[in-house]
Amino acid sequence: MFFHRQELQHKASPDKPDPVYARKLQEVLGGQYGEITVAMQYGFQAWNSHLPGKYRDLLFGIGSEEFGHVEMLAVMIAQLLEDAPVEATDAAVKSDPTLAAVIGGMDVQHAIVAGAGARPVDSNGNPWQGSYITASGNLLADFTANANAEMQGRLQVARLYNMTDDRGVKDLLSFLLARDTMHQNQWLAAITELQTEGVENLPVPSRFPLDKEERDVAYQYINFSDGEMAQEGMWAEGPTPDGHGEFTYVADPPAGVPMPPPPVPDPRLYGTVPLPGPGLISRAADKVKDALSGD
Amino acid sequence: MFFHRQELQHKASPDKPDPVYARKLQEVLGGQYGEITVAMQYGFQAWNSHLPGKYRDLLFGIGSEEFGHVEMLAVMIAQLLEDAPVEATDAAVKSDPTLAAVIGGMDVQHAIVAGAGARPVDSNGNPWQGSYITASGNLLADFTANANAEMQGRLQVARLYNMTDDRGVKDLLSFLLARDTMHQNQWLAAITELQTEGVENLPVPSRFPLDKEERDVAYQYINFSDGEMAQEGMWAEGPTPDGHGEFTYVADPPAGVPMPPPPVPDPRLYGTVPLPGPGLISRAADKVKDALSGD
Amino acid sequence: MFFHRQELQHKASPDKPDPVYARKLQEVLGGQYGEITVAMQYGFQAWNSHLPGKYRDLLFGIGSEEFGHVEMLAVMIAQLLEDAPVEATDAAVKSDPTLAAVIGGMDVQHAIVAGAGARPVDSNGNPWQGSYITASGNLLADFTANANAEMQGRLQVARLYNMTDDRGVKDLLSFLLARDTMHQNQWLAAITELQTEGVENLPVPSRFPLDKEERDVAYQYINFSDGEMAQEGMWAEGPTPDGHGEFTYVADPPAGVPMPPPPVPDPRLYGTVPLPGPGLISRAADKVKDALSGD
Amino acid sequence: MFFHRQELQHKASPDKPDPVYARKLQEVLGGQYGEITVAMQYGFQAWNSHLPGKYRDLLFGIGSEEFGHVEMLAVMIAQLLEDAPVEATDAAVKSDPTLAAVIGGMDVQHAIVAGAGARPVDSNGNPWQGSYITASGNLLADFTANANAEMQGRLQVARLYNMTDDRGVKDLLSFLLARDTMHQNQWLAAITELQTEGVENLPVPSRFPLDKEERDVAYQYINFSDGEMAQEGMWAEGPTPDGHGEFTYVADPPAGVPMPPPPVPDPRLYGTVPLPGPGLISRAADKVKDALSGD
Amino acid sequence: MFFHRQELQHKASPDKPDPVYARKLQEVLGGQYGEITVAMQYGFQAWNSHLPGKYRDLLFGIGSEEFGHVEMLAVMIAQLLEDAPVEATDAAVKSDPTLAAVIGGMDVQHAIVAGAGARPVDSNGNPWQGSYITASGNLLADFTANANAEMQGRLQVARLYNMTDDRGVKDLLSFLLARDTMHQNQWLAAITELQTEGVENLPVPSRFPLDKEERDVAYQYINFSDGEMAQEGMWAEGPTPDGHGEFTYVADPPAGVPMPPPPVPDPRLYGTVPLPGPGLISRAADKVKDALSGD
Amino acid sequence: MFFHRQELQHKASPDKPDPVYARKLQEVLGGQYGEITVAMQYGFQAWNSHLPGKYRDLLFGIGSEEFGHVEMLAVMIAQLLEDAPVEATDAAVKSDPTLAAVIGGMDVQHAIVAGAGARPVDSNGNPWQGSYITASGNLLADFTANANAEMQGRLQVARLYNMTDDRGVKDLLSFLLARDTMHQNQWLAAITELQTEGVENLPVPSRFPLDKEERDVAYQYINFSDGEMAQEGMWAEGPTPDGHGEFTYVADPPAGVPMPPPPVPDPRLYGTVPLPGPGLISRAADKVKDALSGD
């Protein structure tokens, strides 16, 4: 169950409205790595969790905070939109270049659709979608997804921090940056904890029997481009992070196998198939004959 | 420039067609974490790279291999579809329960749209989309995204391995599992290398000045759910992975700040605003008067 | 701020797993009118609200409950998936027609992507998206959207109630049906309250000056199909619900106006335009000449 | 069958081109609540209708008019785009701030993709999609959806009316506003008619037996936020609109039930499960053993 | 303006319901190349047309017919769904393998969402979207898009024809196949007419000055794969269809140019850039210094 | 297998950065008819091909070139973004109208999400999606799709050519225009070759037996709009392109057939059905009785 308190975790009011910035801020509300994404992602990981205890508590504990971040950003955006221009613009922009930038730079749906309100979309107006989130049931994979989400998210907030001079906005972003610092650190710590405890290991999924994979290519760097410097990295020699092998470098991909012959599906799908004739491909011809004779 | 050779990196032919499995295999071709995603993701990261050298060579070297994996899976799926049923099914299923499962379980667009061919979609028929990929320009964030993608991908391939008895399919998946093992290890090694060399550090982005974030909440676990076990993890006490702090545990979120007063946008957006009267909110009233008087 | 308690509002456990039903239940979790939609819709309406007080309290009070409904359905679905089949199916289905139905009827991403977990998608696997929600800032319009959402939602739950014999599932749906009954009634009551108090009126938006619309067609039923029975409804005669007019019935649409002449855009867009010649359209010709001469 | 006449229901020509406004006008052509939505929505409701007669005639009669509205807006937009800028802009904008606003504010696909033509997208360029429409087969629910669509639509047109000074555009919008007034009234009248005739009733769906829902929570306002004013509305006391109960107000949600134990799916999905040991969860352990032993 | 007559162009009733086939038939209603696509495509091409007369009349004349085809398919699908199963299925399928196929093969949203009605989606349940259509303003390009759409459409209808034994369905498909034959022929004839009259020519767009393209590669087949047979086609030697050149075959792509040096964007975007040091890249270093010094 | 060489097929560097143009150029990278579309389209057609030899070699040979075009455009866009503004804009735009145009006209995700990098999206920021491509298995249909894609693509590049003065950009576009000229010609030649060789014929699919379509309407132009000029085209009289008939012109659509009676689905879907009574529709009534009696 979720309970709501009509307070915000941190002050979320701009010094003054700025509809162009409101549009930009949508990215960290409703974008691929916005707050809706992390709130939903941690929620689904918790609801789908197969083990109770500290890891699930962690997901619930942070996930609920993120719903509060969704709220802070939505409230901030609504205030940034308070003076969004709604009038005819032709005459106005002639004498006011700033207005021209506003007209061009704002999300027009903020006014037309939401009446100066926040929306569940990114900074280009693409609606948030469920395919942004990851919840696989494997916590080592999912915590890596979480670490990535918090990194991308903090990176975007840092960029947005430099795109405004508004002290109210910067104050909120300063708070969000710190929380993203925490969450990055937290998921990285949790990844270590999972392996330290032996709950999960590398490579993901670690309980799949290694002898069922083709082990001789499991630690080879095979170079499909002609840059030669990739052999200089830790991924090209030395022990592998999963502790099961040694990296090797293969400068030229070994020869492959020939393409298999093209399949010949049912002729009633009307695909283009070889013509019958002296070079007749009998399998296709027989199929066609069989299928059409009884039709 | 890309060059193509009419060979496959590994044999990709099933022992026999299986249209239901073909649908499932679409997930690792055109799904959120399928081969199109990693091929495109490494490509965009390389094209957008701001530094030449080993990291970009790595992205090009592996990205091109992934395009070849797209090809192997597409060719495999086309062969799995060779005998996809195209006939009227009512009578047929009555005597053949297996056919019933096929009718129900296959992707009908494989027959209707593609004529027994692979498609750039996932196992539920959702088209692949550009929003699956990540390329932020920050390599520490992006390599974490890559590690995550390879973990999710190997996890899905491992699940698919258990869903078939076809030796030809299993043989290909065995190869892909090994390559995913390599790629997981490789991105984790590259993450270490970036930090060892001092090219990037935690928290991402590390060059954003830490004193501009609200440091006092940067390492606090704040518990917004009532599970108490989250305090037992490495994320609740001890040093933080970024090396800059110590985790602390806050069992109860501190009091927040009151919601700001609702914004009062231009009345010509026709939002619902407070009624004038004794309790008149003068700001709103003035706005309405101003806007309508000159209209 | 949102706080989470590790309890459910109502018991949400099935008597036994049923992966086919799990897929169906996704509709009311992540579909157009599922619980994610109403939770997000009420949230955005509250965050964007321009007046504090009982209407906003209502939105917060119910919106938070809906997040708890998202949770109950996710938890239920995860349990329904506990025995989802993951093995090769060919041999199995031959002796077990029920398994054939399961193979065909389940959402394969439940196993491949989520490892037997709930997903933010509908019953066809389409990801939930932000464009499902409505938050316009006009409460009369939005509460009508809410009433509609609760009606469609209860309709779908009622249909799903008949699609299972599982008493655990039926028990949860019985609870959700009752809450939807409440929420339908509540939004309809709120619609009345808004008008009773004079906060909003019909037609939406009521503060747009009626004399700026073309009043002579504001209450006409104009019949563009040849069915004659539409003239027998309350929408074809008598007073209008907005209290400002009388319905009239127009059996045959009046003559329209001719199509305007086609526009002639810049020739550098290479659209197909009339050929010069005796019947030359001079405007187009001049444009082309002007544009190309200076190029 | 649909027949087309090369006339427009109302004049649809601007006084002069305005590509920025053309973009904004796309919202009511191809947006969530644009004319394509209502045309398609009424069409599908009619085609899916289970009863012939006045209600279906109404849907056909209005639906066909809406296709004509799609046409008027498309024709208007094409004319607004006649002078869309297609040239290099750097030098030009330096001396002309209005052009700067145009460059920034127009939909660039209008020029690049459509060659100065209307498109089936909204004002942010999101393509129209089938998930915008509602056609459930239950007319009381669907007519409420229709009333909502007409309200949101008229609200957006009213906002757009204030965003232009062009008399030609305002003239068309004035017509559309009036038709939206009619359609709002009409669907509200039809909702009343359905209930007056006893064809449908509240709560939707009214033929679902009420005794199968958990009646004791069917009229409770349960307050999941801490705002106290929601108890002052008509939704918190007094008779319910469906005529079957009395609203009550529950200030504090009653205690819930504990979360069910997490499910333990097949180990071959490689989800993270509890470790075996003294605190062994035997069900999980047995499952793993069973599954892997025979593999 | 569009007018509707409550008749169908052709009989559209199945002999008996078949919900699995109803799902398949959705492809040619709401799929990429379904009837909604061609109706909308011809409509937008007509509304955006820059020349009045026979070509625009053609678009209007056929486009309106296609809206009638949308209607016929929707009506057919609604009838096919009349007996869609809505009950609990576990017990039922055990004794009825056909029911198993139905449960698995039908679109579950047909029942849950639409109450046994047609939907604006394809056979996998993906909603129709505006990005399926093409209307560029250039009639030679667009008529080629139309010819393609009619070919793909007829191909899909032909495949669907073989997937049913229902005489009512086959009768309707037989009609649609004939109309698609007409429409394929018609657009091909219109393509010829455009060129015969000199309204448009190859290559599209023909009014772009050829001397502004790099003419020496305008007719070269450059072979980026290692198959050698592509040199045997009409595209590798002989005159080109546009009448302006001769095809040549280039077996090996000529050497390219080196990759440009990576760009160095503003450091406040926190992308990964080269480290300063002895091998310092001065441009990047200066940028960083400049940006941060004033910050 | 794909191999990558760190060279570009043609120089791809702008004279100077231009973030507004970078956004526009995204159209031909990640739009409906951008380079990702053709690269993927030719790839899937090749992988799904049912006949080896020159047609498949052609698809592989060109498809690989197109992946190189994706690369050139991505590299170009990244360079155009080098100076994208990242700072606060309010003060700046007041003195610099050009900056106002940049702020308004650029894709804000280029900075916020990609850190000045290219993205797999179109010029409005819509992500590329798998539903843009066509690969049906019928080469005559698919090569027509390819010809269309190259026509739309060249049209867009030609429009973009006029939207910049940058010689570096124009140089690359000049190259792409020439390659599109080649590819248009090539697919048109391949269409002719298919028919000349008798591999495929009109109408698509030509192997569907013509006597199974309703031949009497197979060559009729039926005019559903009131424009009379459509009878003047080659599509209204004379031989048909498929060589099997003669066009005829039907000025008025013949009378249709009555709408079928509405279907009466299971009452447990709670659709709106006729009321019982003197005019009772017995079929519906019986259904309801049957369904509910046993419930």
Side-chain angles (χ1 to χ4, degrees), chain A residues 16-46:
Chain A
K16 61 175 197 304
D18 182 348
V20 174
Y21 194 77
R23 172 199 176 179
K24 292 178 183 163
L25 204 50
Q26 285 281 162
E27 189 64 35
V28 288
L29 170 57
Q32 184 187 9
Y33 290 112
E35 299 285 359
I36 297 178
T37 295
V38 285
M40 286 288 196
Q41 182 157 307
Y42 304 161
F44 273 89
Q45 289 177 9

Side-chain angles (χ1 to χ4, degrees), chain F residues 233-245:
Chain F
M234 285 174 55
W235 51 78
E237 65 176 336
T240 58
D242 69 7
H244 299 311

Side-chain angles (χ1 to χ4, degrees), chain A:
Chain A
M1 282 196 287
F2 290 88
F3 297 83
H4 181 259
R5 199 186 299 161
Q6 294 194 17
E7 289 175 0
L8 299 177
Q9 196 183 358
H10 192 87
K11 183 160 175 292
S13 294
D15 285 358
K16 61 175 197 304
D18 182 348
V20 174
Y21 194 77
R23 172 199 176 179
K24 292 178 183 163
L25 204 50
Q26 285 281 162
E27 189 64 35
V28 288
L29 170 57
Q32 184 187 9
Y33 290 112
E35 299 285 359
I36 297 178
T37 295
V38 285
M40 286 288 196
Q41 182 157 307
Y42 304 161
F44 273 89
Q45 289 177 9
W47 300 321
N48 290 340
S49 179
H50 306 310
L51 79 173
K54 67 182 168 187
Y55 296 107
R56 196 178 64 162
D57 280 9
L58 173 64
L59 288 163
F60 276 132
I62 302 302
S64 310
E65 179 179 354
E66 304 290 12
F67 279 112
H69 291 194
V70 171
E71 182 175 57
M72 283 193 294
L73 283 167
V75 165
M76 172 63 90
I77 287 171
Q79 293 169 90
L80 285 166
L81 291 168
E82 190 169 293
D83 289 345
V86 305
E87 64 277 273
T89 55
D90 234 42
V93 297
K94 272 179 195 145
S95 54
D96 183 356
T98 311
L99 186 58
V102 171
I103 300 301
M106 72 175 283
D107 177 339
V108 295
Q109 291 188 321
H110 271 154
I112 302 173
V113 174
R119 304 187 68 236
V121 304
D122 69 18
S123 60
N124 267 341
N126 296 303
W128 188 86
Q129 55 183 307
S131 54
Y132 290 163
I133 83 165
T134 298
S136 72
N138 183 295
L139 293 187
L140 184 44
D142 286 358
F143 288 180
T144 305
N146 298 354
N148 169 51
E150 297 286 352
M151 288 178 187
Q152 304 287 342
R154 189 172 186 270
L155 182 57
Q156 295 178 2
V157 174
R159 286 166 177 168
L160 284 163
Y161 185 91
N162 293 318
M163 294 182 187
T164 181
D165 287 331
D166 188 292
R167 283 166 310 169
V169 173
K170 279 181 124 83
D171 181 48
L172 175 61
L173 297 186
S174 174
F175 178 79
L176 293 174
L177 283 158
R179 296 309 292 155
D180 286 350
T181 294
M182 171 61 193
H183 295 157
Q184 274 185 44
N185 276 286
Q186 153 201 312
W187 296 119
L188 293 171
I191 286 166
T192 304
E193 180 102 332
L194 281 171
Q195 296 176 79
T196 304
E197 292 194 337
V199 177
E200 287 292 352
N201 277 299
L202 293 172
V204 171
S206 55
R207 281 191 294 276
F208 182 84
L210 281 185
D211 61 6
K212 291 190 173 171
E213 74 175 27
E214 193 166 319
R215 291 295 286 167
D216 52 333
V217 295
Y219 302 116
Q220 285 182 344
Y221 181 92
I222 310 176
N223 193 30
F224 279 82
S225 185
D226 61 353
E228 295 178 359
M229 278 180 279
Q231 66 190 294
E232 295 165 14
M234 285 175 55
W235 51 79
E237 62 176 336
T240 57
D242 66 8
H244 299 310
E246 290 279 326
F247 285 120
T248 58
Y249 181 82
V250 180
D252 291 298
V257 300
M259 286 259 169
V264 185
D266 194 297
R268 286 168 298 180
L269 292 174
Y270 308 109
T272 301
V273 289
L275 286 174
L280 180 72
I281 292 176
S282 62
R283 191 166 58 113
D286 289 352
K287 273 209 176 184
V288 176
K289 200 169 55 185
D290 289 356
L292 298 182
S293 64
D295 198 22

Side-chain angles (χ1 to χ4, degrees), chain F:
Chain F
M1 281 196 287
F2 289 87
F3 297 82
H4 180 259
R5 198 187 298 161
Q6 293 194 20
E7 289 175 0
L8 299 177
Q9 195 182 0
H10 192 88
K11 184 162 174 292
S13 295
D15 285 0
K16 62 174 195 308
D18 182 348
V20 174
Y21 195 77
R23 172 198 176 181
K24 292 179 183 162
L25 204 51
Q26 285 280 162
E27 189 63 37
V28 288
L29 171 57
Q32 185 186 10
Y33 291 113
E35 298 287 358
I36 297 178
T37 296
V38 286
M40 285 287 198
Q41 183 157 306
Y42 305 161
F44 274 88
Q45 288 177 9
W47 299 321
N48 290 339
S49 179
H50 306 309
L51 78 174
K54 68 181 168 188
Y55 295 108
R56 196 177 64 161
D57 280 8
L58 173 64
L59 288 162
F60 276 131
I62 303 301
S64 310
E65 179 179 357
E66 304 290 11
F67 279 111
H69 291 194
V70 171
E71 181 175 58
M72 284 194 293
L73 283 166
V75 165
M76 172 63 89
I77 287 171
Q79 293 170 88
L80 284 166
L81 290 168
E82 190 169 292
D83 289 345
V86 304
E87 65 277 274
T89 55
D90 234 42
V93 298
K94 272 181 195 143
S95 54
D96 183 356
T98 311
L99 185 58
V102 171
I103 300 300
M106 72 174 282
D107 178 338
V108 294
Q109 291 189 320
H110 271 153
I112 303 171
V113 175
R119 303 187 68 237
V121 303
D122 69 16
S123 60
N124 267 340
N126 295 302
W128 188 86
Q129 55 182 305
S131 55
Y132 291 162
I133 83 164
T134 299
S136 72
N138 183 295
L139 294 187
L140 183 45
D142 286 357
F143 287 0
T144 305
N146 298 354
N148 169 52
E150 297 285 353
M151 288 177 187
Q152 303 287 341
R154 189 172 185 271
L155 182 56
Q156 294 179 1
V157 174
R159 287 167 177 166
L160 285 163
Y161 185 91
N162 294 317
M163 294 182 187
T164 182
D165 286 332
D166 188 293
R167 281 166 311 169
V169 173
K170 278 182 126 83
D171 181 48
L172 174 61
L173 298 185
S174 175
F175 178 78
L176 293 174
L177 282 158
R179 296 309 292 156
D180 286 350
T181 294
M182 172 58 194
H183 296 158
Q184 274 187 42
N185 277 286
Q186 153 201 315
W187 296 120
L188 293 171
I191 287 167
T192 302
E193 180 104 331
L194 280 170
Q195 296 176 80
T196 304
E197 292 193 336
V199 176
E200 287 293 352
N201 277 300
L202 295 172
V204 171
S206 56
R207 281 191 293 277
F208 183 84
L210 281 185
D211 60 7
K212 290 191 174 171
E213 75 173 27
E214 195 165 317
R215 290 295 287 167
D216 53 332
V217 296
Y219 302 115
Q220 283 181 349
Y221 180 94
I222 308 177
N223 193 31
F224 278 82
S225 184
D226 61 353
E228 296 178 358
M229 276 181 282
Q231 68 189 291
E232 295 165 14
M234 285 174 55
W235 51 78
E237 65 176 336
T240 58
D242 69 7
H244 299 311
E246 290 280 322
F247 285 121
T248 59
Y249 180 82
V250 180
D252 291 300
V257 300
M259 286 258 169
V264 185
D266 194 297
R268 286 168 298 180
L269 293 174
Y270 307 108
T272 302
V273 290
L275 286 174
L280 181 71
I281 294 177
S282 62
R283 192 164 58 112
D286 290 353
K287 274 210 176 185
V288 175
K289 203 169 50 187
D290 291 356
L292 298 183
S293 63
D295 199 21

